[in-house]
């Protein structure tokens, strides 16, 4: 069962970790490339801040973003700001998200995200945790997938394998972690087994690693659709 209050606490911890890391930079560091193609670290920070406001919209029953063009324009607009402005925006937007999360609400209700995607309101704090944690890794400042909490790794693999479940463009795939945990995903044809450390499985599923550290049986490593 999802505990949104515990997830909100995890979001707060992950946000503080990111803010502490970014506070050690200078303005030049925000203009350096991130690990995301075409994005500087400033783009990543701007996206994380605007995502907090977007998820406030979701919880309050408004469209997540006005439209895709506005979302992209807001990130471009904010990417080149000085570091102190980024940090203030990250904290203020995170505080707004936490404040809405603390309001009395029906957490079992269904909410709508982008592109018609729906989910339980109770899972929105976990989605925010994913944004903060994975984008911290994307900054390329020494925080890696291996530094993520074990609970996070397990749950994000659960989430992503569920997301790819039933996609016929992905062969029927069994994922097996080094510690023996298993997941299944993909369509109904084929039978591929992918084995490796849980963090490498997560990296591959989330598009953060190429899967070269994984072993496969029954066929090549499946190609996954972009997230």
């Amino acid at each position: 069962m999802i505990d949104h209050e515990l997830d909100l606490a995890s979001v707060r911890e992950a946000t503080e970790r990111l803010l502490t890391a970014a506070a050690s930079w200078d303005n030049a560091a925000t203009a350096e490339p991130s690990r995301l193609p075409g994005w500087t670290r400033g783009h990543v920070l701007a996206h994380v801040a605007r995502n907090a406001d977007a998820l406030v919209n979701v919880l309050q029953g408004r469209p997540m973003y006005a439209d895709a063009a506005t979302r992209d324009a807001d990130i471009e607009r904010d990417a080149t700001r000085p570091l102190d402005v980024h940090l203030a925006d990250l904290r203020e937007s995170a505080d707004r998200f936490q404040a809405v999360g603390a309001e009395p609400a029906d957490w079992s209700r269904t909410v709508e995200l982008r592109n018609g995607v729906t989910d339980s309101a109770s899972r929105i704090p976990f989605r925010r945790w994913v944004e903060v944690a994975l984008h911290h890794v994307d900054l390329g400042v020494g925080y890696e997938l291996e530094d993520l909490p074990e609970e996070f790794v397990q749950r994000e693999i659960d989430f992503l394998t569920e997301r790819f479940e039933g996609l016929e463009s992905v062969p029927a795939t069994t994922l097996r972690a080094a510690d023996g945990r298993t997941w299944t995903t993909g369509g109904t044809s084929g039978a591929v087994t992918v084995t490796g450390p849980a963090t490498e499985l997560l990296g591959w599923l989330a598009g953060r690693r190429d899967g070269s550290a994984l072993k496969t049986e029954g066929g090549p490593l499946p190609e996954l659709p972009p997230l």
Side-chain angles (χ1 to χ4, degrees):
M1 181 177 294
I2 298 172
D3 187 330
H4 72 276
E5 292 183 349
L6 283 178
D7 285 345
L8 285 167
S10 296
V11 171
R12 187 179 297 109
E13 292 172 4
T15 302
E16 288 300 325
R17 190 178 300 116
L18 188 155
L19 283 166
T20 298
S24 67
W25 306 350
D26 57 22
N27 286 331
T30 66
E32 293 177 359
S34 74
R35 292 175 175 173
L36 296 178
W39 271 17
T40 65
R41 289 176 181 152
H43 284 89
V44 175
L45 296 180
H47 168 62
V48 172
R50 299 287 67 77
N51 172 262
D53 288 336
L55 292 179
V56 166
N57 289 338
V58 168
L59 289 175
Q60 294 185 332
R62 297 188 295 272
M64 187 171 180
Y65 296 100
D67 50 52
T70 300
R71 170 189 175 274
D72 295 345
D74 286 349
I75 294 170
E76 289 294 335
R77 178 197 66 206
D78 295 343
T80 58
R81 299 176 300 179
L83 177 62
D84 62 336
V85 179
H86 275 298
L87 294 176
D89 188 21
L90 282 166
R91 185 170 295 283
E92 291 165 7
S93 59
D95 287 347
R96 288 191 291 270
F97 178 77
Q98 290 289 336
V100 171
E103 294 174 355
D106 174 14
W107 287 94
S108 66
R109 73 192 187 280
T110 297
V111 294
E112 184 171 347
L113 294 100
R114 296 179 67 198
N115 303 320
V117 173
T118 60
D119 203 350
S120 168
S122 64
R123 195 147 64 169
I124 297 304
F126 179 69
R127 284 179 175 269
R128 176 60 182 171
W129 188 9
V130 170
E131 290 288 327
V132 175
L134 289 186
H135 285 314
H136 191 168
V137 174
D138 293 334
L139 290 169
V141 290
Y143 188 72
E144 303 295 343
L145 296 177
E146 288 75 14
D147 297 312
L148 294 167
E150 183 177 352
E151 176 199 357
F152 177 91
V153 173
Q154 166 84 31
R155 290 179 61 190
E156 180 64 350
I157 294 175
D158 290 345
F159 179 78
L160 291 172
T161 51
E162 177 185 325
R163 180 168 180 166
F164 298 133
E165 184 72 31
L167 288 181
E168 293 301 330
S169 60
V170 178
T173 304
T174 297
L175 286 77
R176 182 173 294 117
D179 61 8
R181 288 175 293 172
T182 62
W183 298 261
T184 58
T185 194
T188 57
S189 62
V192 179
T193 298
V194 180
T195 305
T199 50
E200 292 290 348
L201 292 172
L202 171 59
W204 169 61
L205 289 167
R208 265 65 183 187
R209 292 188 180 167
D210 62 9
S212 59
L214 302 172
K215 296 180 180 180
T216 63
E217 299 176 24
L221 189 68
E223 292 188 15
L224 300 175
L227 295 176

